[in-house]
Amino acid sequence: MRVLLIGGGGREHALALGLVADPSVEALFAVPGNPGVGEVAVLRDVVPTDPAAVAALAVECGADLVVVGPEAPLVAGVADAVRAKGIPAFGPSAAAARLEGSKAFAKDVMTAAGVPTARAYSCADAESVGRALDDFGAPYVVKNDCLAAGKGVVVTEDRRVAEEHARACGQVVIEEYLAGPEVSLFVVTDGETAVPLLPAQDFKRVGDDDTGPNTGGMGAYAPLPWAPPGLVDEVMRDIVHPTLAELRRRGTPFAGLLYVGLAITAAGPRVIEFNARFGDPETQVVLALLETPLAGLLHAAATGELAAHPPLRWREGAAVTVVVAAEGYPAKPRTGDVILGAEVSGVIHAGTRRAADGALLSAGGRVLCGTAIGSDLAAARDAAYELVRGVELAGSHHRTDIAAAAVDGRITLPG
Ligand code: AMP
Ligand code: GLY
């Protein structure tokens, strides 16, 4: 099959590697891609958030499947426009992608579906913000209620910081703090049938020991040796199926990748957020372990045939990815620095670009990630850090504790 991939981050490089490893894929095109994606795909130059332009390109490429990576094209309606041309698209409609695009919409769906999540208030003025902060107490969780690519959330003990974030955003969701380790569970769905991938853990804060501001994600590992047995079944039963049923009931079925961000609290798993797409950098580790051909799986979801798809097969062992970020990330990343040592298998490109002379330059906050598999988590972790040590980028930083607590058996479940 011929596949068109939309997006140009680390997630898309991982998706591209998975897609070309599928023997049924005869050609891969990507928009806009990045130099890593460009190693395995033909890069094309259209605006990824322009539904008409992407749909026209899909026709021109003779695509049998369009895979949409990031949220912005989904919210813009790219999957709808592709499907309107009769081409299968992996990714939800704009209407269903509101599950990620609006925190208030997601809360409304969860309430209607009886899905366990943090109690929350939608607030638009200082008075209601004050009342909500009083009600929940510290630590305060204040979320920008517009699409913020995982960066619009402030979790703080400092009341003034919480109030300032609320003021800067205008419309916010303020919610109860959920205590417990976090899990990212990806679910491939055609709207009806739902297939969970391996659970992963992301590291959202910029600094070691979960210090500093939230980021898009500084590293990840899978699977989770500490996860309670039956966790995935419980999440599918209590969270995923009720959510999909509620979206069907509303006439906006969700087909694509449902990303369930969870906290494993003393009272059980609670939804922190839904995303309408693969997570970044968790995709890098989950797909590194997936043995089942990726294009076939995504095509089955895009065509409503997931019920007939064979069970997924996974590699033994574990995978770890460590993000190398630009100086100043997340506040004000510096770009345009030369990157050396990145042309190695296992280095996944995120914010990179090629200079006219062929040199590889940084072009975003999260520049690349070292992704490795190993016979166990400790081996995978060592191999991922080995990759990171081989990369030279002036001013760059990375966390040194990705997967460390899990390797050492230091993750405990509350209650
Ligand atoms: P979000 O964009 O909603 O995933 O939030 C980003 C990060 O903020 C999450 O991965 C959590 O680490 C943290 N966070 C968000 N909501 C909560 C909550 N209710 N309780 C505790 N931490 C949260
Ligand atoms: N890694 C978190 C996200 O993709 O939103």
Side-chain angles (χ1 to χ4, degrees):
M1 82 179 103
R2 301 167 70 81
V3 183
L4 171 60
L5 172 65
I6 310 302
R11 162 187 49 218
E12 285 74 31
H13 191 187
L15 283 164
L17 294 173
L19 289 167
V20 296
D22 182 331
S24 77
V25 172
E26 67 198 66
L28 180 65
F29 304 87
V31 169
N34 63 35
V37 176
E39 298 280 317
V40 294
V42 179
L43 302 187
R44 298 296 303 263
D45 192 18
V46 312
V47 176
T49 50
D50 181 339
V54 172
L57 178 63
V59 172
E60 187 197 319
C61 295
D64 306 291
L65 173 67
V66 175
V67 176
V68 184
E71 59 275 26
L74 292 167
V75 171
V78 162
D80 307 77
V82 169
R83 280 192 280 266
K85 297 277 186 204
I87 298 173
F90 182 79
S93 65
R98 286 185 70 210
L99 207 53
E100 168 164 6
S102 165
K103 304 264 185 206
F105 176 76
K107 283 288 178 195
D108 189 54
V109 168
M110 283 189 264
T111 304
V115 165
T117 182
R119 285 197 301 128
Y121 297 106
S122 259
C123 307
D125 58 72
E127 202 194 323
S128 59
V129 165
R131 267 199 310 266
L133 297 177
D134 285 343
D135 183 2
F136 296 134
Y140 303 105
V141 181
V142 181
K143 303 188 173 188
N144 195 354
D145 193 23
C146 61
L147 196 66
K151 289 152 207 136
V153 178
V154 161
V155 181
T156 178
E157 296 279 345
D158 188 331
R159 171 101 180 199
R160 231 168 343 160
V161 171
E163 285 168 347
E164 261 157 39
H165 186 60
R167 200 167 32 240
C169 296
Q171 180 75 37
V172 291
V173 171
I174 293 181
E175 63 181 46
E176 156 194 25
Y177 178 79
L178 298 172
E182 285 182 43
V183 172
S184 302
L185 183 68
F186 298 168
V187 179
V188 173
T189 177
D190 56 15
E192 189 103 27
T193 301
V195 177
L197 307 187
L198 285 182
Q201 192 173 50
D202 181 20
F203 291 75
K204 287 266 167 61
R205 301 289 188 123
V206 73
D208 282 2
D209 301 320
D210 297 327
T211 53
N214 265 315
T215 70
M218 294 297 291
Y221 66 94
L224 309 176
W226 49 268
L231 174 69
V232 172
D233 291 342
E234 187 181 353
V235 172
M236 294 302 288
R237 184 191 66 216
D238 296 345
I239 294 170
V240 172
H241 285 296
T243 300
L244 295 178
E246 174 61 18
L247 287 163
R248 284 196 303 271
R249 195 189 64 74
R250 293 176 181 222
T252 54
F254 185 102
L257 196 291
L258 180 63
Y259 169 131
V260 189
L262 300 155
I264 312 304
T265 73
R270 295 284 179 272
V271 175
I272 289 184
E273 64 164 345
F274 285 129
N275 290 320
R277 40 126 191 123
F278 281 97
D280 192 344
E282 299 97 309
T283 299
Q284 286 81 316
V285 289
V286 172
L287 293 188
L289 295 170
L290 181 68
E291 237 166 35
T292 298
L294 180 63
L297 174 66
L298 303 187
H299 188 268
T303 52
E305 285 159 11
L306 212 46
H309 191 275
L312 301 186
R313 286 180 288 108
W314 297 97
R315 288 194 177 87
E316 297 282 328
V320 173
T321 191
V322 178
V323 171
V324 174
E327 179 171 322
Y329 178 79
K332 207 168 171 287
R334 186 179 81 192
T335 59
D337 287 298
V338 173
I339 307 164
L340 297 176
E343 331 271 326
V344 190
S345 160
V347 170
I348 304 283
H349 292 236
T352 65
R353 71 179 174 88
R354 282 271 172 224
D357 66 0
L360 192 64
L361 302 179
S362 60
R366 293 188 292 173
V367 178
L368 51 81
C369 29
T371 306
I373 55 176
S375 55
D376 61 15
L377 200 53
R381 177 176 144 78
D382 288 346
Y385 275 103
E386 188 65 38
L387 287 167
V388 167
R389 273 192 296 277
V391 172
E392 279 178 54
L393 169 62
S396 69
H397 59 96
H398 61 269
R399 280 184 64 157
T400 67
D401 64 345
I402 303 302
V407 167
D408 299 342
R410 281 187 281 115
I411 298 187
T412 49
L413 295 163

